[in-house]
Amino acid sequence: MPSISQSYEVVLDFTNDTRDSATVQLLRDYGRPSNRIVLLNPGDTVSLVLDAGDTYQYTLKTKSKVVNITARAWRDVICEVSQLFLPGSSPWPPTYVSSRTPVSGITVDRHFREARFCLFDYNDP
């Protein structure tokens, strides 16, 4: 059976379908000042271009709710921010979630409540 010998790219779209602003940030940068953060106002979408099959880790935050996710996709993925947060559950104490995949290609690893309530656009002068 033939296999793909070239790598290819997929698009991961995060759409903020909530009433609050949200941020998307690389997990390794979470909690540190960084210019690699994206502010999504309600209705906004950000498209990330990823190498198919590679693993990426992100943190998404809205108000004081935070989720850590792992993205590994072989085709384009559309993800609404509200799908990543567990409905009706308390994010405190921090919860490690095993194999919860609300969207194909995205796994929620952890969700918790952040004591700091600040959504800041680091690119805004």
Side-chain angles (χ1 to χ4, degrees), residues 30 61 64-66 92 112-118:
Y30 185 70
K61 180 177 180 180
S64 62
K65 296 183 289 186
V66 182
W92 188 258
F112 58 98
R113 186 171 298 277
E114 174 67 73
R116 298 173 293 159
F117 176 59
C118 178

Side-chain angles (χ1 to χ4, degrees), residues 4-58:
I4 297 174
S5 60
Q6 288 185 314
S7 63
Y8 61 98
E9 298 173 337
V10 296
V11 176
L12 171 58
D13 285 333
F14 286 113
T15 300
N16 185 3
D17 63 330
T18 69
R19 290 181 279 152
D20 302 304
S21 294
T23 59
V24 179
Q25 186 174 17
L26 289 170
L27 179 60
R28 70 173 182 231
D29 293 336
Y30 185 70
R32 298 182 220 167
S34 171
N35 61 356
R36 295 176 293 221
I37 188 169
V38 177
L39 176 65
L40 294 174
N41 290 311
D44 285 353
T45 298
V46 63
S47 297
L48 306 174
V49 179
L50 312 176
D51 287 330
D54 284 355
T55 302
Y56 297 86
Q57 293 183 308
Y58 297 101

Side-chain angles (χ1 to χ4, degrees), residues 42-91:
D44 285 353
T45 298
V46 63
S47 297
L48 306 174
V49 179
L50 312 176
D51 287 330
D54 284 355
T55 302
Y56 297 86
Q57 293 183 308
Y58 297 101
T59 298
L60 282 89
K61 180 177 180 180
T62 180
K63 283 195 172 181
S64 62
K65 296 183 289 186
V66 182
V67 291
N68 294 343
I69 65 162
T70 300
R72 185 175 187 208
W74 297 98
R75 61 178 183 254
D76 293 348
V77 176
I78 298 172
C79 179
E80 295 176 339
V81 171
S82 65
Q83 293 176 305
L84 301 175
F85 296 95
L86 290 171
S89 68
S90 171

